[in-house]
Amino acid sequence: MSLIQRIDALLPQTQCGKCGHPGCKPYAEGIAQGEAINKCPPGGHETIAALARLLDVPVLQLDLARGSAPSQVAFIREAECIGCTKCIQACPVDAIMGAAKLMHTVIVQECTGCDLCLAPCPVDCIDLLPLSATSVSLTGDSAEGHGQRAARDVRRNRARQRYEARTARLHRQDQQRQAERQARLQRTAVPVATQPGPAQAALERIRAKPKTGGDAALKQARAQVAMSRAQLLKSLKAFGHPPIAEQAAQLVQLQRGLEEAEYALAQLQSQTAVPAQEPPTP
């Protein structure tokens, strides 16, 4: 194993972020680059001593300013849950099941007790309960004997795998969103450049016949601006916040259409304006 992997293997895998990193693996990377080894409350003195032996550095006292991390598990009061999915999005190991507007529940065997689900909950329906005596704790200073340490290592490995799987999934989803955004930009760029809208068509007509049909073209251009603005406002009210990817792409197209119509109207108004007459020379 690499040094980072060996360091990560000694960390508790609660993925709680109390060390200042988004997970145990990023903290392991920081330690490998010289970061202090005493920033992990769930690891406790046991983890600090193990890291000191591995890296051949002095043993430090635990940084108590980062809080405590008792052996605990999250519990959702399901009758009060509103199904907002905010706790699901916050859980670093995918230990919460549920769907939008449906009840959520915690997979007790997979919960690391990180408490990251507490703050996002808008109705405060999540409690942290002490881990039962028969459950295996992830935290350091809690295992006695070879059997308990072996069971803890198994659970830590599973928590690490779930964290890495979630991180990889989020990375894939982010890449997919970026690819879809780029594809939408490419699709919307071509029609705007090659296919004039109704307001642009009116502008071309007034350019071709500047002395006839000016009022009609202006009227049509104003109507196009009004319709484009109304359609954009209606869509903004109808779509959720934030809008999903398809809705966001539609809003971009509507905004682009409104800007195009306003520009065409301004051009028509400037071309059809009656120039001011110069005063006669004496």
Side-chain angles (χ1 to χ4, degrees):
M1 292 191 296
S2 67
L3 177 60
I4 294 175
Q5 290 174 322
R6 294 169 67 186
I7 295 172
D8 186 44
L10 299 176
L11 298 177
Q13 304 306 315
T14 55
Q15 319 298 346
C16 64
K18 290 182 171 62
C19 59
H21 295 273
C24 294
K25 181 70 173 293
Y27 181 38
E29 295 171 352
I31 293 176
Q33 297 174 2
E35 196 168 336
I37 62 174
N38 65 338
K39 297 182 178 181
C40 179
H45 300 287
E46 176 185 334
T47 297
I48 293 175
L51 291 172
R53 288 193 299 270
L54 174 65
L55 302 173
D56 194 19
V57 297
V59 175
L60 303 176
Q61 290 297 317
L62 180 64
D63 186 357
L64 299 179
R66 299 182 179 276
S68 61
S71 299
Q72 56 191 6
V73 64
F75 173 78
I76 298 176
R77 299 193 298 276
E78 297 172 351
E80 302 173 30
C81 176
I82 61 174
C84 69
T85 75
K86 293 185 182 298
C87 60
I88 295 177
Q89 299 170 37
C91 180
V93 293
D94 287 337
I96 302 178
M97 296 179 61
K101 299 182 180 179
L102 296 176
M103 177 190 70
H104 303 344
T105 189
V106 176
I107 308 174
V108 177
Q109 296 82 356
E110 307 298 346
C111 176
T112 66
C114 67
D115 76 24
L116 292 177
C117 56
L118 292 185
C121 179
V123 293
D124 195 24
C125 70
I126 304 177
D127 298 320
L128 286 175
L129 306 179
L131 203 64
S132 65
T134 58
S135 301
V136 179
S137 175
L138 294 173
T139 60
D141 306 324
S142 61
E144 298 180 359
H146 178 74
Q148 288 188 6
R149 285 193 292 271
R152 184 183 64 186
D153 290 343
V154 170
R155 186 152 183 247
R156 284 182 174 181
N157 288 334
R158 190 166 67 245
R160 182 186 298 108
Q161 292 169 1
R162 294 180 71 89
Y163 169 76
E164 292 177 347
R166 177 179 182 271
T167 302
R169 186 187 74 249
L170 294 178
H171 180 66
R172 289 194 305 269
Q173 291 176 348
D174 183 62
Q175 287 184 320
Q176 183 178 357
R177 282 193 294 267
Q178 292 181 6
E180 291 175 349
R181 187 180 302 113
Q182 186 64 28
R184 287 196 301 270
L185 291 175
Q186 292 176 354
R187 287 197 301 268
T188 56
V190 174
V192 170
T194 60
Q195 299 180 5
Q200 283 183 320
L203 177 59
E204 294 301 325
R205 286 195 297 271
I206 194 61
R207 283 174 177 171
K209 298 180 180 180
K211 295 183 180 180
T212 59
D215 291 342
L218 278 172
K219 191 173 183 180
Q220 182 178 358
R222 291 192 185 98
Q224 182 62 34
V225 170
M227 288 189 296
S228 298
R229 183 180 292 111
Q231 190 174 7
L232 176 60
L233 294 176
K234 182 179 179 181
S235 298
L236 285 171
K237 292 180 180 180
F239 294 163
H241 182 75
I244 62 176
E246 293 78 5
Q247 293 172 342
Q250 187 174 348
L251 289 175
V252 170
Q253 293 179 351
L254 292 174
Q255 180 64 39
R256 192 186 298 271
L258 175 59
E259 293 172 356
E260 174 191 333
E262 290 175 338
Y263 175 77
L265 176 59
Q267 291 294 312
L268 285 168
Q269 289 173 333
S270 65
Q271 291 189 11
T272 57
V274 178
Q277 296 182 354
E278 297 181 358
T281 57

